[in-house]
Coordinates of all heavy atoms in Angstrom, one line a residue:
L111 N 14.4 1.3 4.4 CA 13.7 1.8 3.3 C 13.0 0.7 2.5 O 11.9 1.0 1.9 CB 14.6 2.6 2.4 CG 14.0 3.3 1.2 CD1 13.0 4.4 1.7 CD2 15.1 4.0 0.4
L112 N 13.5 -0.5 2.5 CA 12.9 -1.6 1.8 C 11.5 -1.9 2.4 O 10.7 -2.5 1.7 CB 13.8 -2.8 1.8 CG 15.1 -2.7 1.1 CD1 16.0 -3.9 1.4 CD2 14.9 -2.5 -0.4
W113 N 11.3 -1.5 3.7 CA 10.0 -1.8 4.3 C 8.9 -1.1 3.6 O 7.7 -1.6 3.8 CB 10.1 -1.4 5.8 CG 11.0 -2.3 6.6 CD1 11.8 -3.3 6.2 CD2 11.3 -2.1 8.0 NE1 12.5 -3.8 7.2 CE2 12.3 -3.1 8.4 CE3 10.8 -1.2 9.0 CZ2 12.8 -3.2 9.7 CZ3 11.3 -1.3 10.3 CH2 12.3 -2.3 10.6
V114 N 9.1 0.0 2.9 CA 8.1 0.7 2.2 C 7.4 -0.2 1.2 O 6.2 -0.2 1.0 CB 8.6 2.0 1.6 CG1 7.5 2.7 0.8 CG2 9.1 2.9 2.7
A115 N 8.3 -1.0 0.5 CA 7.8 -1.9 -0.5 C 7.5 -3.3 0.0 O 6.5 -3.9 -0.4 CB 8.8 -2.1 -1.6
I116 N 8.3 -3.8 1.0 CA 8.1 -5.1 1.6 C 8.0 -4.9 3.1 O 9.0 -5.1 3.8 CB 9.2 -6.1 1.2 CG1 9.4 -6.1 -0.3 CG2 8.9 -7.5 1.7 CD1 10.6 -6.9 -0.8
P117 N 6.9 -4.6 3.6 CA 6.8 -4.3 5.0 C 7.0 -5.5 5.9 O 6.5 -6.6 5.5 CB 5.3 -3.7 5.2 CG 4.6 -4.3 4.0 CD 5.6 -4.4 2.9
P118 N 7.6 -5.4 7.0 CA 7.8 -6.5 7.9 C 6.5 -6.8 8.6 O 5.7 -5.9 8.9 CB 8.8 -6.0 8.9 CG 8.7 -4.6 9.0 CD 8.3 -4.2 7.5
Y119 N 6.2 -8.0 8.9 CA 5.0 -8.4 9.6 C 5.2 -9.3 10.8 O 5.9 -10.3 10.6 CB 4.0 -9.1 8.6 CG 2.7 -9.4 9.3 CD1 1.8 -8.5 9.6 CD2 2.4 -10.8 9.6 CE1 0.6 -8.8 10.3 CE2 1.2 -11.1 10.2 CZ 0.3 -10.1 10.6 OH -0.9 -10.4 11.2
Q120 N 4.8 -8.9 11.9 CA 4.9 -9.6 13.1 C 3.5 -10.0 13.6 O 2.7 -9.1 14.0 CB 5.7 -8.9 14.2 CG 7.1 -8.7 13.8 CD 7.9 -7.7 14.7 OE1 7.4 -6.7 15.0 NE2 9.0 -8.1 15.2
D121 N 3.2 -11.3 13.7 CA 1.9 -11.8 14.0 C 1.7 -11.8 15.5 O 2.2 -12.8 16.2 CB 1.7 -13.2 13.4 CG 0.2 -13.6 13.4 OD1 -0.5 -13.1 14.2 OD2 -0.2 -14.4 12.5
L122 N 1.1 -10.8 16.1 CA 0.9 -10.8 17.5 C 0.0 -11.9 18.0 O 0.3 -12.5 19.1 CB 0.3 -9.4 17.9 CG 1.3 -8.3 18.2 CD1 2.0 -7.9 17.0 CD2 0.6 -7.1 18.9
A123 N -1.0 -12.2 17.3 CA -1.9 -13.3 17.7 C -1.2 -14.7 17.7 O -1.4 -15.4 18.7 CB -3.1 -13.4 16.7
A124 N -0.4 -14.9 16.7 CA 0.4 -16.2 16.7 C 1.4 -16.3 17.8 O 1.6 -17.3 18.5 CB 1.1 -16.4 15.3
Q125 N 2.0 -15.1 18.1 CA 3.0 -15.1 19.2 C 2.3 -15.3 20.6 O 2.8 -16.0 21.4 CB 3.7 -13.7 19.2 CG 4.8 -13.6 20.3 CD 6.0 -14.4 20.1 OE1 6.1 -15.3 19.3 NE2 7.1 -14.0 20.8
A126 N 1.1 -14.7 20.7 CA 0.4 -14.9 22.0 C 0.0 -16.3 22.2 O 0.1 -16.9 23.3 CB -0.9 -14.0 22.0
E127 N -0.4 -17.0 21.1 CA -0.8 -18.4 21.1 C 0.4 -19.2 21.5 O 0.3 -20.2 22.3 CB -1.3 -18.8 19.8 CG -1.9 -20.3 19.8 CD -2.5 -20.6 18.5 OE1 -2.8 -19.7 17.7 OE2 -2.8 -21.8 18.3
R128 N 1.6 -18.9 20.9 CA 2.8 -19.7 21.3 C 3.1 -19.5 22.8 O 3.5 -20.5 23.5 CB 4.0 -19.2 20.4 CG 4.0 -19.8 19.0 CD 5.4 -19.4 18.4 NE 5.5 -18.0 18.1 CZ 5.1 -17.4 17.0 NH1 4.6 -18.2 16.0 NH2 5.3 -16.1 16.8
L129 N 3.0 -18.3 23.3 CA 3.3 -18.1 24.7 C 2.4 -18.9 25.6 O 2.8 -19.4 26.7 CB 3.2 -16.6 25.0 CG 4.3 -15.7 24.4 CD1 4.0 -14.2 24.4 CD2 5.7 -15.9 25.1
Q130 N 1.1 -18.9 25.2 CA 0.2 -19.7 26.0 C 0.5 -21.2 26.0 O 0.4 -21.9 27.0 CB -1.2 -19.5 25.5 CG -1.8 -18.1 25.6 CD -3.1 -17.9 24.9 OE1 -4.0 -18.8 25.0 NE2 -3.2 -16.8 24.2
V131 N 0.9 -21.7 24.9 CA 1.3 -23.1 24.7 C 2.6 -23.4 25.6 O 2.6 -24.4 26.3 CB 1.6 -23.5 23.3 CG1 2.2 -24.9 23.2 CG2 0.3 -23.4 22.5
W132 N 3.5 -22.5 25.5 CA 4.7 -22.6 26.3 C 4.4 -22.6 27.8 O 5.0 -23.3 28.6 CB 5.8 -21.5 26.0 CG 6.3 -21.6 24.6 CD1 6.3 -22.7 23.8 CD2 6.9 -20.6 23.8 NE1 6.9 -22.5 22.6 CE2 7.3 -21.1 22.6 CE3 7.2 -19.3 24.1 CZ2 7.9 -20.4 21.6 CZ3 7.8 -18.5 23.1 CH2 8.2 -19.1 21.9
A133 N 3.5 -21.8 28.2 CA 3.1 -21.7 29.6 C 2.5 -23.0 30.1 O 2.9 -23.5 31.2 CB 2.2 -20.5 29.9
A134 N 1.6 -23.5 29.3 CA 1.0 -24.8 29.7 C 2.1 -25.9 29.7 O 2.1 -26.8 30.6 CB -0.1 -25.1 28.7
F135 N 3.0 -25.9 28.7 CA 4.0 -26.9 28.6 C 5.0 -26.8 29.8 O 5.3 -27.9 30.4 CB 4.8 -26.7 27.3 CG 5.9 -27.8 27.0 CD1 5.5 -29.0 26.6 CD2 7.2 -27.4 27.2 CE1 6.5 -30.0 26.4 CE2 8.2 -28.4 27.0 CZ 7.8 -29.7 26.6
A136 N 5.3 -25.6 30.2 CA 6.2 -25.4 31.3 C 5.6 -25.9 32.6 O 6.3 -26.4 33.5 CB 6.7 -24.0 31.4
R137 N 4.3 -25.7 32.8 CA 3.6 -26.1 34.0 C 3.6 -27.6 34.1 O 3.7 -28.2 35.2 CB 2.1 -25.6 33.9 CG 2.0 -24.1 34.1 CD 1.7 -23.7 35.5 NE 0.4 -24.2 35.9 CZ -0.2 -23.8 37.1 NH1 0.5 -23.0 37.9 NH2 -1.4 -24.3 37.4
Q138 N 3.5 -28.3 33.0 CA 3.5 -29.8 33.0 C 4.9 -30.4 33.1 O 5.1 -31.4 33.8 CB 2.8 -30.3 31.7 CG 1.3 -29.9 31.6 CD 0.7 -30.2 30.3 OE1 1.4 -30.8 29.4 NE2 -0.6 -29.9 30.1
Q139 N 5.8 -29.9 32.3 CA 7.1 -30.5 32.2 C 8.2 -29.8 32.9 O 9.3 -30.4 33.0 CB 7.5 -30.5 30.7 CG 6.5 -31.2 29.8 CD 6.3 -32.7 30.0 OE1 7.3 -33.3 30.4 NE2 5.1 -33.2 29.8
G140 N 8.0 -28.6 33.4 CA 9.0 -27.8 34.1 C 9.7 -26.9 33.1 O 9.6 -27.0 31.9
L141 N 10.3 -25.8 33.7 CA 10.9 -24.8 32.9 C 12.0 -25.3 32.0 O 12.3 -24.8 30.9 CB 11.4 -23.6 33.8 CG 10.3 -22.9 34.6 CD1 10.9 -21.8 35.5 CD2 9.3 -22.2 33.6
L142 N 12.8 -26.2 32.5 CA 13.9 -26.8 31.7 C 13.5 -27.4 30.4 O 14.2 -27.5 29.5 CB 14.7 -27.8 32.6 CG 15.5 -27.2 33.8 CD1 16.2 -28.3 34.5 CD2 16.5 -26.2 33.3
A143 N 12.2 -27.9 30.4 CA 11.7 -28.5 29.2 C 11.6 -27.5 28.0 O 11.5 -27.9 26.9 CB 10.4 -29.2 29.5
L144 N 11.6 -26.2 28.4 CA 11.5 -25.2 27.3 C 12.7 -25.1 26.4 O 12.7 -24.5 25.4 CB 11.2 -23.8 27.9 CG 9.9 -23.6 28.6 CD1 9.8 -22.3 29.3 CD2 8.7 -23.7 27.6

Side-chain angles (χ1 to χ4, degrees):
L111 182 59
L112 295 175
W113 293 359
V114 176
I116 309 174
Y119 180 71
Q120 292 171 313
D121 195 336
L122 271 68
Q125 180 74 342
E127 186 176 347
R128 280 191 292 269
L129 291 165
Q130 293 172 44
V131 171
W132 292 340
F135 183 74
R137 291 264 295 186
Q138 295 173 359
Q139 305 292 331
L141 294 177
L142 292 177
L144 291 172

